[in-house]
Amino acid sequence: PRLLSPSLAFSQVELLEESAAFLETARAQLPAARVRAFHASSLQGFAPPAHVRYAAVWVQWVLIYLTDTDLVAFLSRCAAALVAPHGRIVVKESVSKEEHGFFVDRSDASITRTDAHHRRLFAAAGLAVAHSEAQPGLPHGVFAVRMYVLRPVEAPSADGAEAQGHASSDRETRARWAE
């Protein structure tokens, strides 16, 4: 089996969703024995419970709604809750072409980042890319989709350089929104 196979199976999952209506639908449709917890929270506000450790955290098509600073903070909090040393974070996101830079979509308030941009943010969150691949078979004319398997590394330096870099990136994003 391939590392990023969709057949990954876990005996229990936890769901994080900001919309109470979506969580209620999930409660009604998912087998109760398979869901360990439902978290009604934004990604920016979510902190894994102190006593919980995860074998995997799956993040799919939601990081586009976070600023760089919020994305790094969210992934850092998730990384701290992974089971050592084998816990992983899996990210699946659309990616823009390097030559075009990131893409701001005002219609849904999203930011589609390049592969290099994602990798910089992962590193700032104290994560290394253990594996990455593009999703095959997408139609022409849509953003590429890339999947990343991330593993924790030593914590980023505490000198503030990473935070300053993301603040600059956030300012650039806001400037593009204003165009």
Side-chain angles (χ1 to χ4, degrees), residues 119-143:
R119 290 172 185 264
R120 283 191 305 273
L121 297 177
F122 299 154
L127 296 161
V129 177
H131 183 80
S132 175
E133 65 183 63
Q135 181 171 321
L138 293 174
H140 182 71
V142 299
F143 283 117

Side-chain angles (χ1 to χ4, degrees), residues 26-146:
R27 282 183 212 277
Q29 294 183 359
L30 298 173
R34 294 287 313 272
V35 183
R36 184 167 67 181
F38 293 89
H39 301 282
S41 175
S42 66
L43 297 175
Q44 300 93 319
F46 178 71
H51 65 283
V52 174
R53 292 291 171 256
Y54 301 114
V57 174
W58 190 280
V59 183
Q60 180 169 324
W61 286 317
V62 293
L63 298 181
I64 61 175
Y65 299 106
L66 298 181
T67 65
D68 289 354
T69 301
D70 288 336
L71 188 154
V72 169
F74 170 72
L75 290 178
S76 296
R77 290 189 304 271
C78 290
L82 291 173
V83 175
H86 302 293
R88 298 292 184 260
I89 296 175
V90 179
V91 171
K92 182 175 182 179
E93 288 287 338
S94 297
V95 294
S96 60
K97 293 182 178 180
E98 296 297 331
E99 61 268 21
H100 297 256
F102 64 84
F103 176 79
V104 174
D105 184 342
R106 288 180 180 87
S107 70
D108 71 353
S110 66
I111 305 165
T112 303
R113 297 168 174 90
T114 65
D115 178 57
H117 193 156
H118 278 107
R119 290 172 185 264
R120 283 191 305 273
L121 297 177
F122 299 154
L127 296 161
V129 177
H131 183 80
S132 175
E133 65 183 63
Q135 181 171 321
L138 293 174
H140 182 71
V142 299
F143 283 117
V145 174
R146 183 157 285 282

